[in-house]
């Protein structure tokens, strides 16, 4: 008896059945994935923020769904396996939601993250001629100007003209 | 030869070997989820990282995405062949997947060489630290997957342990999944 028969024959009666598809089905899914890849590369070329977010990240979610469902066969896998993966993803999300203020904000009540503040504010002033997208830093404008004198983190490698 | 219990037992309704792979993937979700989550938060907190990201090569990233998607196809076709008991075809398709892994690594090698020569090293700034860390960790997973796949293919060619073709396939699709998210984060959002 081959190992294949042994392994599959050894499955218990309550084991999740895995869908068997013909090769053409998988090739069709691959073609859809490639088409989505083309859209995700060409979409951001329009340089419209909403289109970039939708085509790059929205399509990434769709591609991930297609791979998980059709290639990893999660649609026919036991429910607890899907729940296991979703719980892990949820825990990571919760953790980052809880810690995000520490990373994304550079100052608050009685605290200032000097290195983070100096790293990004001068760059924006130099490249954009203003504190673009930094409304949350308004109260620290004086500190921004002071930070502008200091070299930005990694700035020497990139001349100001290269900013996008 | 006595087979390991993981090959034969199915206490949960899922063969223990496959269940183990799902547990590996669950832990990988935490590892890569943590890394990508940290990158995302830093990226939102540091708008100037868009400037650094503009130096990554979108076309190389897109080509590598195509390579990984195609290698996922060959992996799932190998699984299909194994399900039908065709070990030789499964082995050949796993080798095709390995070629995909090698291609991915070669492209990455050229990409990194160019970037390092331009002065974008792992210590240049926060963006490049994340870039090399995330892409490097993913690359290590590609190398590990390719090596395991060679062993699985060798057994599959002799029509042995064909259930492992599915197991390495699930792992490989996860490696593909991680890249699907790394690609827009590191190469497209500029």
């Amino acid at each position: 008896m081959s190992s294949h028969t042994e392994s599959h024959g050894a499955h218990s009666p309550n084991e999740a059945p895995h869908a068997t598809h013909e090769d053409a089905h998988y090739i069709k899914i691959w073609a859809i994935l490639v088409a989505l890849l083309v859209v995700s590369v060409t979409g951001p070329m329009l340089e419209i923020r909403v289109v970039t977010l939708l085509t790059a990240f929205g399509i990434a979610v769709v591609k991930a769904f297609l791979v998980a469902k059709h290639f990893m066969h999660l649609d026919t896998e036991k429910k607890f396996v899907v729940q296991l993966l979703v719980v892990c993803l949820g825990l990571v999300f919760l953790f980052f939601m809880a810690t995000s203020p520490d990373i994304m904000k550079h100052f608050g009540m009685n605290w200032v993250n000097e290195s983070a503040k100096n790293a990004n504010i001068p760059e924006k002033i130099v490249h954009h001629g203003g504190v673009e997208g930094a409304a949350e830093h308004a109260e620290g404008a004086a500190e921004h100007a002071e930070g502008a004198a200091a070299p930005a983190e990694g700035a020497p490698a990139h001349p100001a003209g290269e900013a996008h | 030869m006595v087979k390991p219990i993981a090959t034969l037992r199915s206490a949960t309704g899922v063969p223990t070997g496959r269940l183990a792979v799902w547990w590996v993937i669950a832990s990988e979700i935490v590892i890569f989820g943590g890394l990508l989550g940290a990158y995302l938060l830093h990226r939102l907190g540091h708008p100037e990282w868009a400037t650094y990201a503009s130096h990554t090569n979108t076309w190389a990233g897109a080509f590598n995405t195509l390579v990984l998607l195609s290698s996922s196809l060959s992996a799932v076709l190998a699984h299909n062949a194994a399900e039908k008991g065709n070990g030789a075809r499964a082995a050949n398709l796993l080798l095709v997947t390995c070629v995909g892994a090698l291609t991915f690594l070669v492209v990455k090698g050229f990409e990194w060489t160019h970037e390092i020569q331009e002065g974008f090293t792992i210590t240049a700034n926060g963006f490049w630290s994340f870039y090399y860390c995330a892409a490097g960790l993913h690359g290590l997973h590609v190398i590990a997957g390719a090596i395991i796949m060679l062993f699985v293919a060798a057994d599959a060619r002799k029509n042995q342990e064909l259930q492992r073709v599915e197991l390495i396939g699930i792992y490989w699709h996860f490696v593909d999944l991680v890249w699907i998210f790394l690609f827009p984060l590191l190469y497209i959002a500029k």
Side-chain angles (χ1 to χ4, degrees):
Chain A
M1 189 160 96
S2 75
S3 298
H4 170 71
T5 321
E6 269 180 20
S7 64
H8 288 273
H11 297 175
S12 67
N14 62 340
E15 180 191 323
H18 262 204
T20 50
H21 294 288
E22 289 308 312
D23 289 355
H25 167 76
Y26 296 115
I27 293 170
K28 192 179 95 183
I29 299 298
W30 172 79
I32 294 171
L33 287 167
V34 172
L36 288 173
L37 169 64
V38 172
V39 175
S40 67
V41 173
T42 53
M45 288 177 179
L46 297 172
E47 296 189 352
I48 302 169
R49 194 175 170 80
V50 179
V51 176
T52 300
L53 284 174
L54 280 176
T55 53
F57 296 102
I59 283 180
V61 173
V62 175
K63 280 194 288 190
F65 173 79
L66 287 174
V67 169
K69 183 183 177 191
H70 295 281
F71 288 178
M72 297 171 93
H73 300 114
L74 267 177
D75 56 338
T76 54
E77 187 57 278
K78 284 276 189 187
K79 285 279 179 285
F80 77 84
V81 170
V82 180
Q83 287 160 359
L84 168 73
L85 302 180
V86 169
V87 165
C88 285
L89 205 57
L91 285 174
V92 171
F93 182 73
L94 267 180
F95 177 79
F96 279 98
M97 286 297 284
T99 56
S100 61
D102 256 4
I103 299 170
M104 297 173 69
K105 286 191 75 66
H106 302 146
F107 49 86
M109 284 181 71
N110 303 322
W111 67 275
V112 177
N113 184 343
E114 289 290 350
S115 60
K117 193 183 65 182
N118 290 339
N120 71 352
I121 299 305
E123 193 76 13
K124 277 179 283 190
I125 291 170
V126 169
H127 293 311
H128 302 289
V131 278
E132 181 185 311
E136 74 274 19
H137 296 293
E139 66 267 41
E143 291 168 19
H144 298 172
E146 181 188 321
E153 185 189 6
H158 320 294
E162 290 178 4
H164 288 247
Chain B
M1 184 181 153
V2 179
K3 286 197 170 291
I5 195 165
T7 310
L8 303 171
R9 193 178 63 173
S10 180
T12 57
V14 177
T16 309
R18 198 164 84 211
L19 183 62
V21 173
W22 286 123
W23 272 111
V24 167
I25 289 174
S27 62
E28 296 278 10
I29 284 176
V30 179
I31 294 169
F32 280 105
L35 193 60
L36 296 187
Y39 171 78
L40 205 57
L41 293 186
H42 276 90
R43 182 68 193 265
L44 292 171
H46 293 262
E48 82 280 7
W49 281 21
T51 310
Y52 308 140
S54 68
H55 296 282
T56 57
N57 188 332
T58 306
W59 295 110
F63 178 74
N64 263 349
T65 309
L66 176 66
V67 167
L68 279 191
L69 288 176
S70 304
S71 69
S72 256
L73 172 68
S74 55
V76 79
L77 292 181
H79 171 209
N80 214 20
E83 285 280 335
K84 291 170 182 165
N86 190 344
R89 179 172 160 77
N92 288 337
L93 284 163
L94 283 182
L95 290 181
V96 170
T97 311
C98 284
V99 170
L102 191 64
T103 308
F104 178 90
L105 292 169
V106 168
V107 171
K108 211 87 202 82
F110 278 113
E111 215 185 320
W112 280 21
T113 304
H114 175 72
E115 283 155 358
I116 290 168
Q117 281 172 347
E118 292 284 310
F120 305 125
T121 61
I122 195 167
T123 55
N125 54 53
F127 171 79
W128 290 105
S129 296
F130 266 109
Y131 172 82
Y132 286 109
C133 191
L137 186 64
H138 178 264
L140 286 176
H141 281 74
V142 170
I143 293 169
I147 291 171
I148 296 168
M149 225 174 282
L150 289 174
F151 284 102
V152 174
D155 277 343
R157 192 167 297 286
K158 294 179 267 182
N159 253 22
Q160 290 174 355
E161 310 289 1
L162 288 185
Q163 80 283 356
R164 289 180 182 168
V165 175
E166 178 186 21
L167 307 189
I168 188 61
I170 291 172
Y171 170 86
W172 192 254
H173 300 315
F174 177 76
V175 171
D176 184 19
L177 265 184
V178 171
W179 185 257
I180 283 173
F181 287 104
L182 277 179
F183 173 56
L185 283 172
L186 300 177
Y187 293 86
I188 291 185
K190 296 181 174 177

